[in-house]
Amino acid sequence: MTLKIAFLASEAPVAQTARVALIGRYGDVPPEQADVIVALGGDGFMLRTLHATQDLRAPVYGMNRGTIGFLMNEYSETDLKARLAEAEEEVINPLSMTARDQSGRIHHALAINEVSLLRAGPQAAKLRITVDGRLRLSELVCDGALLATPAGSTAYNYSAHGPILPIGADVLALTAIAAFRPRRWRGALLPKTAQVRFDVLEPDKRPVMADADSKSIKDIDWVEIRSEPTIEHRILFDPGHGLEERLISEQFT
């Protein structure tokens, strides 16, 4: 049986050139008809591809035609079918974000990496943090805070000095961004089942925006976040180069 592949590429010329070359070798079908979807670009394009194809049956195999490519495999034109046959699958669940802005409008979004809250003015944000209905931090003065999945723990979370999480860990990382008070508070590890709520204090004076995988919402009043187990993103990696290995290796670089 012939493997049906859908090739998707970012707008970068190097990715578009790769797509043309690969289609010439292996053909191309619409994503809805594919056995596997090959994403050509960087991590940002991979995230967009996962979001766009989350309702399709085909897993996604990325090849790096971007910058960092943490979620991508190395690019090669000649041995794709053999690599796909040997690829190992990782399944990850996104975060579900519900946010209300100051006009009262409710927004919904999914995030594979993290949901972040960021100050949107010259003054530090003031946030109140509740976990599973229980107040945990009455006031966090900071540039922001984020909740990250294991898959996203090496992205913004790691840059904000949050922990790297093993891909199989059923935990989420709650990380402060430039915390001013409590000054030494670095965040917390929470069960994957936890429901986290951020309330923005003094929102008129200290406006805050929320971001879920680059979907931004301005002037928020509150945000609620939880893991979404009903949605599964299937990602393929070359043997020995899956997310588990990459997350471990990143801690020794």
Side-chain angles (χ1 to χ4, degrees), residues 24 32 37 41-42 50 73 182 200 208 216 228:
E32 296 78 10
I37 296 167
L50 291 170
N73 300 286
V200 180
V208 173
S216 299
E228 183 49 79

Side-chain angles (χ1 to χ4, degrees), residues 143-161:
D143 279 354
L146 60 86
L147 189 68
T149 67
S153 64
T154 59
Y156 195 3
N157 172 70
Y158 192 39
S159 297
H161 306 291

Side-chain angles (χ1 to χ4, degrees), residues 157-230:
N157 172 70
Y158 192 39
S159 297
H161 306 291
I164 292 179
L165 306 176
I167 193 63
D170 288 331
V171 296
L172 303 172
L174 173 57
T175 300
I177 302 170
F180 177 72
R181 190 169 61 243
R183 190 177 295 274
R184 288 187 169 83
W185 191 74
R186 299 304 182 194
L189 294 178
L190 302 176
K192 185 178 180 179
T193 56
Q195 297 192 39
V196 180
R197 178 181 171 112
F198 295 95
D199 286 282
V200 180
L201 308 179
E202 304 177 23
D204 293 329
K205 181 181 178 181
R206 304 169 184 269
V208 173
M209 62 173 287
D211 185 279
D213 281 358
S214 298
K215 180 178 180 179
S216 299
I217 303 163
K218 297 180 179 179
D219 299 323
I220 62 168
D221 188 18
W222 54 259
V223 174
E224 293 181 345
I225 312 164
R226 61 179 178 83
S227 182
E228 183 49 79
T230 63

